[in-house]
Amino acid sequence: MWCKRWWGVCGAESSLLEWCIQQDKVDKQEEYFVCPDWAGLPAQGTHLEVRKDGKVIDVVLIDKLPYYLAGRLGGVVDICLEHKSTSRAHCVFVHHRKGNLYLIDLNSNHGVFVNDERIAPKKTIKVTEDDEIRIGASTRLYKLNRKPPQKLEAAKVDGQRPAKRAKIDPVRVYHVLLKHVESRNPKSYRDPVNPVKRTKEEAISLINQFKEKIEKADDPFSELKKTARELSDCSSAKNNGDIGFITKGKMLKEVEQAAFQMKQGEFSGPVCSDSGVHLLYRAHNDA
């Protein structure tokens, strides 16, 4: 399982919370790409400069994970691209444990170009800071930079200044996950060999029962953590169901939407995702 490979690469430098947050996305990514054994963590500040008309208009940090999947499939890829020529999972940037960066075209329809030459699909290509990368038919160019990014000057793109991005604070979330026969990966971390046998409807019914029992408890938060430890199918059960801080675009879409709509101290109803059925709790940031 890729999560285990990622945990082995990161070791003590990464927390269990980070591992848990990535798990659902990794389950989906395995359909398109599996992290190689030679991958490693990059230097802090490593990023891709995004250039248009000779100006740097944005930066994409790639300094936290061994690889970054790029494409237009929201909730799955790490770098979301919007150009219409982009494939669902177009290409992947992979950090080597010795410090080099490699680029792989994942059989995209419109290709990946390095210095205006299309690279062969599935071939691992070393990328240097001198290379210019183009993805599909987009006119944007990407360049590797290993130094922390500087503050961008307001650059005009297509005659307009780039819009300022609203700052959205992350939210702290705990959950109980019940997988079912329709889950993308229907195996619980408690039994990684045998798929679960419950139906989706049964999972929803159980989540409703959990919520009712938890909300009636003298200490609902403690009861939620107990339920997660004993019954959740997610490995975050080892940490009382804590999946850490959720930021926009980094978690399953359904979980993310529900989490940001909740108030602190509030429980969700059943939230259905490709992973299964979730009961969410939005905790205080210092919980």
Side-chain angles (χ1 to χ4, degrees):
M1 183 177 179
W2 181 83
C3 283
K4 294 179 180 177
R5 293 182 183 179
W6 183 72
W7 178 251
V9 169
C10 294
E13 297 180 35
S14 293
S15 68
L16 178 61
L17 295 183
E18 291 174 306
W19 184 86
C20 292
I21 290 171
Q22 288 294 324
Q23 176 172 304
D24 285 322
K25 181 180 285 187
V26 168
D27 286 344
K28 292 184 176 183
Q29 289 179 341
E30 285 183 339
E31 179 179 345
Y32 305 98
F33 181 76
V34 176
C35 186
D37 293 332
W38 49 261
L41 286 179
Q44 187 174 3
T46 301
H47 64 280
L48 298 172
E49 293 180 350
V50 186
R51 295 172 172 263
K52 187 177 178 69
D53 298 328
K55 296 179 180 179
V56 178
I57 61 170
D58 203 356
V59 296
V60 179
L61 284 170
I62 52 169
D63 66 344
K64 301 297 183 186
L65 302 174
Y67 74 79
Y68 285 80
L69 190 65
R72 59 178 175 84
L73 189 57
V76 175
V77 299
D78 304 297
I79 303 173
C80 194
L81 305 173
E82 298 180 353
H83 196 275
K84 62 182 180 182
S85 68
T86 306
S87 297
R88 290 158 60 85
H90 198 106
C91 60
V92 62
F93 295 89
V94 188
H95 294 286
H96 196 285
R97 64 167 67 99
K98 293 184 178 180
N100 293 324
L101 178 67
Y102 291 87
L103 175 61
I104 304 171
D105 180 348
L106 300 175
N107 284 324
S108 65
N109 291 328
H110 295 279
V112 178
F113 301 80
V114 176
N115 301 325
D116 290 327
E117 292 189 11
R118 183 168 182 169
I119 65 176
K122 295 292 186 178
K123 185 175 181 180
T124 303
I125 302 296
K126 182 180 177 180
V127 175
T128 72
E129 290 178 291
D130 295 325
D131 293 326
E132 291 187 332
I133 301 162
R134 181 164 56 83
I135 299 174
S138 172
T139 58
R140 296 190 175 197
L141 298 175
Y142 297 82
K143 290 197 71 171
L144 170 65
N145 193 324
R146 301 185 187 279
K147 299 178 182 179
Q150 302 297 314
K151 183 178 180 180
L152 289 177
E153 295 182 2
K156 289 189 176 182
V157 183
D158 297 331
Q160 298 181 351
R161 293 188 181 274
K164 291 183 178 180
R165 297 176 182 175
K167 182 179 180 181
I168 301 176
D169 292 331
V171 296
R172 183 75 177 273
V173 177
Y174 287 69
H175 82 153
V176 177
L177 170 67
L178 291 184
K179 295 191 174 186
H180 50 77
V181 292
E182 298 177 43
S183 295
R184 174 180 284 272
N185 176 14
K187 296 178 182 178
S188 172
Y189 100 96
R190 300 175 188 276
D191 182 1
V193 176
N194 300 304
V196 298
K197 296 182 179 180
R198 73 172 68 91
T199 65
K200 182 177 180 179
E201 290 71 23
E202 289 171 337
I204 292 173
S205 176
L206 284 170
I207 287 292
N208 279 322
Q209 292 175 39
F210 292 168
K211 181 182 180 183
E212 183 178 0
K213 180 181 178 181
I214 289 168
E215 290 184 328
K216 288 181 178 178
D218 292 336
D219 185 346
F221 186 30
S222 294
E223 185 67 23
L224 170 80
K225 292 190 285 187
K226 179 176 180 289
T227 303
R229 285 196 307 272
E230 296 177 354
L231 299 171
S232 181
D233 290 323
C234 176
S235 59
S236 62
K238 301 175 185 176
N239 206 42
N240 298 319
D242 186 359
I243 54 175
F245 288 92
I246 292 180
T247 56
K248 287 286 188 178
K250 300 295 184 181
M251 177 54 76
L252 292 166
K253 180 176 69 174
E254 298 85 357
V255 172
E256 178 184 295
Q257 289 177 345
F260 278 94
Q261 290 174 359
M262 296 162 60
K263 298 177 181 178
Q264 289 186 342
E266 185 177 358
F267 291 93
S268 72
V271 176
C272 298
S273 75
D274 286 348
S275 291
V277 184
H278 311 253
L279 172 61
L280 305 179
Y281 174 76
R282 179 173 173 183
H284 293 273
N285 288 351
D286 57 355

